[in-house]
């Protein structure tokens, strides 16, 4: 199933297996996911499940969102997210709640999130350049990237050249992470390794294909 969940990154910790192995894990809390609409090929031209997630004060909600979730009896939500699914999949009904038990221990998942913004960064921090010599007459250009193009032909900087610029703040997907533990009562997922985003940031967890 390609249906996923929208959650909040709580932070990192570690678990100990029975063998004594220390496993670094990221805790993800599932944010009140409810199915708002099920789209099919006959009605919409493609198969998808639209889900609401999270809560927020009703006075801060936009009217289109309030109208959508009102159809399933909800008063507040933070937003909507759509998951493309296969036409022959068994899908939940409208109004159903999707929780952490959607995944199983040992299952591989892909986790998407917005990376931590670092602001303007040079090539050493942004692209892992090694830097220039600290001797042999070089007294100023220790962390400078060096030449960027050619002298005469073609006489320009190629597109995609690694240069200084804004670092982080991009949508990134970490693939094939293992689900180490599932807590259905508290709606928590323990996912092995680090996932993109800051503590308290929104992440999307999907089954790995």
């Amino acid at each position: 199933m390609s249906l996923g969940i929208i959650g909040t990154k709580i932070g990192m910790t570690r678990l100990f297996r029975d063998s004594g192995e220390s496993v670094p894990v990221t805790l993800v809390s599932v944010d009140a996911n409810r199915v708002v609409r099920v789209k099919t090929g006959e009605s919409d031209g493609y198969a998808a499940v639209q889900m609401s997630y999270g809560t927020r004060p009703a006075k801060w909600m936009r009217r289109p969102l309030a109208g959508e979730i009102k159809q399933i009896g909800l008063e507040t939500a933070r937003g909507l997210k759509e998951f493309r699914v296969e036409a022959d999949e068994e899908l939940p009904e409208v109004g159903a709640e999707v929780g952490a038990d959607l995944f199983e221990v040992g299952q591989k998942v892909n986790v998407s999130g917005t990376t931590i913004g670092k602001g303007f960064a040079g090539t050493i921090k942004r692209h892992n350049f090694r830097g220039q010599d600290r001797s042999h007459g070089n007294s100023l250009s220790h962390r400078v990237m060096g030449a960027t193009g050619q002298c005469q032909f073609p006489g320009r900087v190629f597109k995609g050249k690694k240069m200084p610029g804004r670092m982080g703040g991009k949508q990134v997907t970490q693939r094939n992470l293992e689900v180490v533990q599932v807590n259905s009562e508290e709606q928590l997922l323990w996912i092995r390794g680090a996932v993109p985003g800051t503590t308290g940031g929104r992440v999307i967890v999907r089954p790995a294909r």
Side-chain angles (χ1 to χ4, degrees):
M1 177 179 286
S2 53
L3 183 65
I5 57 98
I6 305 99
T8 299
K9 178 180 176 180
I10 297 178
M12 290 198 68
T13 182
R14 62 176 175 172
L15 293 177
F16 289 95
R17 298 188 188 274
D18 295 337
S19 61
E21 177 191 5
S22 176
V23 181
V25 293
T26 301
L27 268 70
V28 175
S29 173
V30 182
D31 290 343
N33 292 184
R34 295 282 294 274
V35 177
V36 176
R37 182 179 299 178
V38 176
K39 298 184 177 182
T40 62
E42 293 77 12
S43 61
D44 300 277
Y46 65 98
V49 175
Q50 192 178 71
M51 292 200 301
S52 65
Y53 61 90
T55 59
R56 70 187 314 173
K59 64 180 181 180
W60 292 347
M61 286 186 56
R62 297 181 178 179
R63 291 184 179 180
L65 175 59
E68 286 285 341
I69 64 174
K70 187 177 180 181
Q71 300 176 11
I72 60 171
L74 286 181
E75 296 181 357
T76 178
R78 182 167 292 274
L80 297 175
K81 171 65 181 175
E82 188 172 286
F83 293 91
R84 296 289 292 265
V85 295
E86 300 295 334
D88 56 348
E89 287 188 24
E90 184 178 351
L91 303 175
E93 297 179 355
V94 174
E97 185 171 354
V98 180
D101 53 1
L102 181 67
F103 302 100
E104 300 176 352
V105 175
Q107 183 177 356
K108 298 293 185 178
V109 294
N110 298 335
V111 184
S112 302
T114 303
T115 58
I116 299 173
K118 304 290 186 179
F120 190 92
T123 52
I124 291 180
K125 181 176 181 179
R126 192 182 187 205
H127 300 296
N128 200 28
F129 281 22
R130 70 174 183 87
Q132 300 189 34
D133 294 336
R134 266 64 174 174
S135 59
H136 296 284
N138 188 352
S139 59
L140 297 175
S141 303
H142 302 311
R143 297 179 64 88
V144 177
M145 64 180 294
T148 59
Q150 306 77 27
C151 181
Q152 288 186 343
F153 179 82
R156 62 185 175 87
V157 179
F158 290 121
K159 291 183 179 180
K161 173 68 178 176
K162 295 180 179 179
M163 300 182 73
R166 185 174 179 178
M167 181 179 177
K170 295 182 178 180
Q171 185 82 2
V172 173
T173 300
Q174 198 73 19
R175 301 183 182 278
N176 295 318
L177 300 178
E178 179 187 357
V179 177
V180 178
Q181 189 171 326
V182 178
N183 189 329
S184 301
E185 295 181 359
E186 299 181 3
Q187 293 297 314
L188 292 175
L189 291 173
W190 279 260
I191 299 175
R192 179 165 188 158
V195 304
T198 60
T199 298
R202 189 172 73 246
V203 295
I204 299 170
V205 185
R206 298 184 180 91
R209 295 185 178 180

